[in-house]
Amino acid sequence: MKRIVTLVVQNRSGVLNRVTGLMFKRQFNIESISVGRTEKEGISKMTFVVEVEDHRKLEQLTKQLNKQIDVLKVTDLSEKAIVARELALIKIVSNAAIRNEVQGIIEPFRASIIDVSKDTLSVQVTGKPEKIEALIDLLRPYGIKDIARTGLTAFSRGQQPQAAELNQYSLLK
């Protein structure tokens, strides 16, 4: 089962390496990672999407992460109401004749063209991973030359719904 796990960590050299090394040793598959500074000086937040077998393995991972000196807080966001986004840059084969057609495809996704050259077009899109996958699938017939994705970043919403309402907010189902 896929889980979204966030870590609040000290922004020190080697922290990411220690955390990913721990996951490697325990054989957790990391699907995506995003890391960035927080509102507090010297503190960063890591967001991992990991594949775990069951709740026992998730608990094992959480306990191991909490033992790391630079890790201040570990949170599993998977069953909470969250705000989650990912950024993708997609470079496709293009010429002047199909640019309007591509513009018509990306517009409903609220994506934008960020670079145009003689034979390529670069598109920027943000949103849930499913949205990004859907746009990539639509652009694939034009010939994708390159894709760069940030990985999911997330935090919990200010107000959590009741347990019965949670399924409608899940990103991973």
Side-chain angles (χ1 to χ4, degrees), residues 6-34:
T6 61
L7 280 66
V8 177
V9 299
Q10 298 283 340
N11 189 357
R12 295 185 182 148
S13 176
V15 174
L16 179 61
N17 189 34
R18 284 189 290 279
V19 169
T20 56
L22 182 148
M23 291 184 177
F24 171 75
K25 286 180 189 172
R26 304 285 189 259
Q27 298 183 336
F28 290 101
N29 184 34
I30 300 170
E31 196 166 285
S32 76
I33 302 172
S34 67

Side-chain angles (χ1 to χ4, degrees), residues 1 3-4 55 76-82 160 166 173:
M1 63 185 173
R3 308 301 289 192
I4 301 170
H55 287 286
D76 177 16
L77 295 176
S78 305
E79 295 176 2
K80 295 182 176 180
I82 61 172
Q160 295 295 307
L166 285 177
K173 292 184 178 176

Side-chain angles (χ1 to χ4, degrees), residues 20-73:
T20 56
L22 182 148
M23 291 184 177
F24 171 75
K25 286 180 189 172
R26 304 285 189 259
Q27 298 183 336
F28 290 101
N29 184 34
I30 300 170
E31 196 166 285
S32 76
I33 302 172
S34 67
V35 182
R37 289 183 274 169
T38 66
E39 74 283 1
K40 295 178 184 167
E41 184 72 28
I43 304 295
S44 292
K45 181 180 261 186
M46 300 177 175
T47 305
F48 292 90
V49 177
V50 293
E51 182 73 33
V52 295
E53 294 173 14
D54 51 35
H55 287 286
R56 188 182 60 79
K57 285 283 195 183
L58 177 65
E59 185 179 338
Q60 177 192 28
L61 174 65
T62 303
K63 285 180 179 176
Q64 292 294 320
L65 290 170
N66 274 314
K67 287 181 184 177
Q68 298 293 308
I69 291 172
D70 295 317
V71 175
L72 304 174
K73 184 177 180 183

Side-chain angles (χ1 to χ4, degrees), residues 116-127:
V116 176
S117 71
K118 183 179 170 188
D119 54 357
T120 65
L121 194 64
S122 296
V123 175
Q124 169 186 300
V125 61
T126 58

